Amino acid sequence: MTPKLSQIKKDFTESLSQISRFWGFPKGMGAIFAVLYLSPAPIPLDEIVGLTGLTKGAVSTEVRTLARMGLVHRSSKLGDRKDYYEAETDFYTSIRSILKERQNSEFDRALRGVRETLEKLDSGSVSGDEAEIKFLRERLKALQEFFNAIDSLTNAVIKLDKLGISNVAKILNVLK
Amino acid sequence: MTPKLSQIKKDFTESLSQISRFWGFPKGMGAIFAVLYLSPAPIPLDEIVGLTGLTKGAVSTEVRTLARMGLVHRSSKLGDRKDYYEAETDFYTSIRSILKERQNSEFDRALRGVRETLEKLDSGSVSGDEAEIKFLRERLKALQEFFNAIDSLTNAVIKLDKLGISNVAKILNVLK
DNA sequence: TACTACATTTAGTAATTACTAAACGTAGTA
DNA sequence: TACTACGTTTAGTAATTACTAAATGTAGTA
């Protein structure tokens, strides 16, 4: 039995929805990206609505966050008031912008929290058992070093392109 | 005004809870890890309950997933039926096991979905417009290559240790 | 064997997040 | 100016996820 193209597309959209959810994004976001990715030409919002089954409101908001992440691009045609959307096809570009996006988020706020805690301990202004303070200082310091390592790794990855990523795996294997 | 140690600990726990949520884990998990990380000795489940304000049931299940991820370790003392928990302090070890954990998850299932879709297209068994099939094949292929790159990158990182991670950032900068 | 001190499971609730429907805003056209 | 064709916002609902309370299971001790 030969499967229909439309079924193939639906399967793919389903897969991307799951992947989206797995990474903590709404599954609708994955679906929207999928239909855009499978479209040879930019399509207007209403068509996304038709293809995904979501409402205009949902598509409107999620397509915006996709655009902010650099995963889709919005464009418009002269003499046509519709907005048209298309998927970014260079994933290495996308990854970079997603990482950037994440860097100035709640995550960073939390990291600053840890840093500030450590500063308080280091400043000696904290009252309490000396041995315990020493212990806490060591633990927090270790955690902070780890965060810093991740941070510089992230920054390095942000600068990578396709060639870079595929080489890194090889290099890491050599390192080991 | 000199802050109290207990306040410092609460702040830290709060920060880790947020970080936990940011990465798609329950905030309770972050809190549990935090109190274990700040404890100089392994502590029993009931004490975690007291320090986090969660119930026994919640701590029981979340501590188990933390253990599966390798972020905490369970131990028991002879002649004592309590289980004791302590935090893994080598984060590089933890990262490895988290990545491993994620590799055989829903995510992988979804990736297989994409692969299978592509195989169907390649096998020529799909009926539909030839030009469109060709287009879809190209797009899916590009996506799959990307996934493969990420996959081998992940595998490489799994093999890394502390030294490795801190070097990688430097190396990546040279690459660029 | 029954009791005690613990951990786990389960069934239900609270909180959060994704989404819908519909009102609203706006830019272009007549 | 009013109308039309679109996008956005908002207020509420559905679905999901995190959590609680309490029943159940279990290993060790008397």
Side-chain angles (χ1 to χ4, degrees), chain B:
Chain B
M1 199 242 145
T2 65
K4 284 272 188 295
L5 266 192
S6 60
Q7 185 56 43
I8 292 278
K9 288 183 186 175
K10 272 181 75 180
D11 290 351
F12 177 76
T13 303
E14 184 57 34
S15 291
L16 274 201
S17 298
Q18 278 185 245
I19 291 175
S20 177
R21 272 195 38 187
F22 181 79
W23 290 107
F25 304 109
K27 73 175 204 270
M29 251 181 69
I32 292 171
F33 182 82
V35 308
L36 292 177
Y37 189 68
L38 294 186
S39 166
I43 60 180
L45 195 139
D46 272 328
E47 199 164 330
I48 302 178
V49 169
L51 289 167
T52 57
L54 300 173
T55 58
K56 267 209 302 187
V59 174
S60 173
T61 59
E62 308 213 316
V63 102
R64 176 171 38 198
T65 83
L66 279 168
R68 206 179 52 228
M69 285 177 165
L71 277 164
V72 313
H73 302 287
R74 184 191 308 233
S75 59
S76 41
K77 298 179 183 174
L78 260 92
D80 183 346
R81 18 190 143 138
K82 286 182 200 147
D83 287 349
Y84 288 82
Y85 299 92
E86 67 187 315
E88 167 65 60
T89 53
D90 179 353
F91 299 110
Y92 306 93
T93 298
S94 309
I95 275 208
R96 261 173 267 148
S97 50
I98 291 173
L99 286 179
K100 271 183 202 158
E101 179 68 17
R102 291 221 157 170
Q103 272 198 323
N104 23 7
S105 65
E106 286 304 303
F107 184 58
D108 256 28
R109 259 195 76 251
L111 292 197
R112 274 201 300 281
V114 174
R115 258 164 216 155
E116 281 159 21
T117 307
L118 187 54
E119 276 162 25
K120 277 183 202 151
L121 279 177
D122 274 337
S123 74
S125 75
V126 177
S127 61
D129 175 55
E130 262 314 314
E132 194 178 4
I133 290 180
K134 187 171 171 242
F135 169 77
L136 289 185
R137 189 152 41 208
E138 275 162 16
R139 289 258 152 141
L140 290 184
K141 198 150 188 196
L143 185 60
Q144 202 187 2
E145 270 170 26
F146 175 72
F147 284 151
N148 287 339
I150 294 295
D151 203 50
S152 58
L153 189 63
T154 305
N155 279 318
V157 168
I158 285 176
K159 293 178 193 149
L160 276 182
D161 58 0
K162 175 170 179 157
L163 188 71
I165 288 213
S166 49
N167 277 334
V168 168
K170 293 175 203 161
I171 293 172
L172 294 189
N173 279 320
V174 175
L175 264 185
K176 177 209 144 220

Side-chain angles (χ1 to χ4, degrees), chain A residues 13-132:
Chain A
T13 303
E14 185 57 34
S15 292
L16 273 201
S17 298
Q18 279 186 245
I19 291 175
S20 177
R21 271 195 37 188
F22 180 79
W23 290 107
F25 304 109
K27 73 175 205 271
M29 251 183 69
I32 292 171
F33 182 82
V35 308
L36 292 178
Y37 189 67
L38 295 185
S39 166
I43 60 181
L45 194 139
D46 272 327
E47 199 164 331
I48 302 177
V49 168
L51 289 166
T52 57
L54 300 172
T55 57
K56 265 205 308 180
V59 174
S60 172
T61 60
E62 308 212 316
V63 101
R64 177 173 34 199
T65 83
L66 279 168
R68 205 179 50 228
M69 286 177 163
L71 278 165
V72 313
H73 302 287
R74 185 193 307 235
S75 59
S76 40
K77 299 179 183 174
L78 260 90
D80 183 347
R81 17 186 146 144
K82 286 181 198 146
D83 287 348
Y84 289 82
Y85 299 92
E86 67 188 316
E88 167 66 59
T89 53
D90 178 353
F91 300 111
Y92 307 92
T93 298
S94 308
I95 274 207
R96 261 174 267 150
S97 50
I98 291 173
L99 287 178
K100 271 184 204 159
E101 180 68 17
R102 290 220 157 170
Q103 273 197 323
N104 21 6
S105 66
E106 286 305 302
F107 184 58
D108 256 27
R109 260 195 75 252
L111 293 197
R112 273 201 300 281
V114 174
R115 259 165 216 156
E116 281 159 22
T117 307
L118 187 54
E119 275 161 26
K120 277 183 202 151
L121 280 176
D122 275 336
S123 74
S125 75
V126 178
S127 61
D129 176 55
E130 262 314 314
E132 194 178 4

Side-chain angles (χ1 to χ4, degrees), chain A residues 134-152:
Chain A
K134 187 170 171 241
F135 169 77
L136 289 184
R137 190 152 41 208
E138 274 162 18
R139 289 257 152 142
L140 290 184
K141 199 151 187 194
L143 184 60
Q144 201 185 4
E145 269 170 27
F146 175 72
F147 284 152
N148 287 340
I150 295 296
D151 203 51
S152 58

